[in-house]
Structure formats: structure tokens, C-alpha cells
Amino acid sequence: MNRVSVIKGDITAIRADAIVNAANSSLMGGGGVDGAIHRAGGPAILEDCRKIVARQGGCKTGEAVITTGGRLPAAHVIHTVGPVWQDGLHNEPALLANCYRHSLELSAANNLSTVAFPNISTGIYHFPKDLAARIALETIAAFLEKESSITDVTLVCFDEENFHYTTHYYHQYVGPE
Ligand code: AR6
């Protein structure tokens, strides 16, 4: 059974157990998909983020935390912090893989079975879209091999270029059906 899909769209409209946010380490919101998620989900998300910051002081690059989805159709938001692309020599690929893996681990730990991701780090953080899509699909496919509790992973691409690369690596790592 194929448990991965790729679509073009707006992640704030997705009904899932969790959607993943491309946040920053402050967890206090920002632009891009982060801004869209907080706007659509309302203040309950930031309230949960503040509690996390009080407890653990933010979120490191490659790590993930979970909050309510507030008014979103998704029940929860998993906030992960992608690497800022510098030159590829600062551990950016491994850190991006950590974002996907830790978000899926956190989903499984919270008994969530349906999860949607945006193309983390490919906007304001300037990670090359081709390499980012390969890392996303490679990491998700490897995770699903060993963890059966997650039944649906949707990659929600906002722009045509991400959709193109994500579909390409979907065929490489997940297969046609
Ligand atoms: N649904 C799905 N994807 C989206 C949406 C949406 N509504 N809006 C944008 N994207 P970015 P980053 C795509 O910049 O590069 C924030 O300020 C977008 O096309 O949102 O990880 C945070 O607070 C791109 O492909 O995140 C951080 O400071 C992808 O989401 C910083 O940006 C990621 O772009 C994180 O930068």
C-alpha cells in the first residue's frame, strides 16, 4: 500500500492529524508557511509555543515540537526548524533530514497517523529545491519502512518548482502506486 502522496496546494487547508510547520528556533512565528499557519490557526498555536519556550527555550535546528492546530482543519501542528542554506558544507542536508525524521517520530509518539509536510527550508531559508525534495522523499520512505503506525504522509507543494522536484523523487523513492 502506498502511504505517500504529493499535491500542490496550501497546507493550512489540509485535514490531517498533524501538519508540519517550517518554523524558526524562536517558535514565535514568521513569514512564509509559518505566518500562514499562525494566521489560519489563530492564537492558540502561539500560546502553546510560548509554553514550550518557557519549558525548553525554543527549538533547535533539525528538532521538532508539537502544539494544537487551533482553528485549522488539522488537529495538531508539528513545528520543525529547517537549516538555513549556506553553502552545503554546514551539515545542511543532515539537518534537513532530521527535520523530516523527528517530525515523523513525534507524530508516531503522539499516535498520529496522518501527517502533511511543506517543502521545509526551500523558501526564506534558500535550501536548493532539488536536493531538498530528494532528502524529503528519501527520509520519509526510509522512516515508513520501519514504522507502520503512520498511514498517510502528504507532501504539500506551494509552488510549481517544488511540485516538479517532489514528484520526481516520489517516483524514485516511493514508486508509481
Ligand atoms: N502551504 C504550503 N507551503 C507553503 C505555504 C503554504 N500556505 N506558504 C509557503 N509555502 P518558508 P523556510 C512554502 O519560507 O524556507 C519563516 O519566517 C514555500 O513556497 O515558509 O523553512 C519562519 O519563521 C516554500 O517552498 O520556510 C522561518 O524564519 C516552503 O513553504 C523561515 O521562514 C518553505 O518556505 C523558515 O524558512
Side-chain angles (χ1 to χ4, degrees):
M1 186 191 65
N2 194 344
R3 295 139 73 200
V4 185
S5 49
V6 181
I7 62 168
K8 215 175 142 192
D10 176 355
I11 203 165
T12 64
I14 299 290
R15 189 170 299 279
D17 294 334
I19 62 168
V20 176
N21 181 20
N24 62 67
S25 54
S26 79
L27 297 176
M28 290 296 104
V33 71
D34 195 4
I37 286 172
H38 281 280
R39 270 195 306 280
I45 299 177
L46 196 60
E47 269 170 44
D48 277 4
C49 285
R50 286 192 203 286
K51 287 181 197 153
I52 293 165
V53 170
R55 201 166 62 228
Q56 69 175 54
C59 182
K60 293 198 183 87
T61 304
E63 302 298 318
V65 299
I66 186 166
T67 69
T68 177
R71 294 194 295 258
L72 289 167
H76 300 88
V77 177
I78 290 176
H79 306 259
T80 188
V81 181
V84 178
W85 180 264
Q86 298 178 65
D87 52 8
L89 303 173
H90 289 78
N91 216 23
E92 296 97 325
L95 290 167
L96 186 63
N98 286 347
C99 288
Y100 285 94
R101 197 172 50 253
H102 289 144
S103 296
L104 290 167
E105 282 170 2
L106 195 54
S107 301
N110 284 275
N111 298 311
L112 310 179
S113 53
T114 61
V115 187
F117 283 94
N119 294 103
I120 299 162
S121 280
T122 65
I124 294 162
Y125 283 178
H126 286 112
F127 204 108
K129 291 178 181 178
D130 186 341
L131 179 57
R134 176 156 76 78
I135 291 166
L137 267 305
E138 203 177 17
T139 308
I140 291 165
F143 184 88
L144 294 181
E145 288 249 312
K146 61 178 183 61
E147 176 62 63
S148 59
S149 69
I150 299 199
T151 57
D152 280 288
V153 176
T154 307
L155 286 154
V156 184
C157 305
F158 201 59
D159 59 280
E160 188 55 46
E161 209 186 343
N162 267 315
F163 183 67
H164 168 81
Y165 289 123
T166 305
T167 305
H168 173 83
Y169 290 109
Y170 168 86
H171 289 299
Q172 185 165 327
Y173 289 103
V174 182
E177 271 311 312

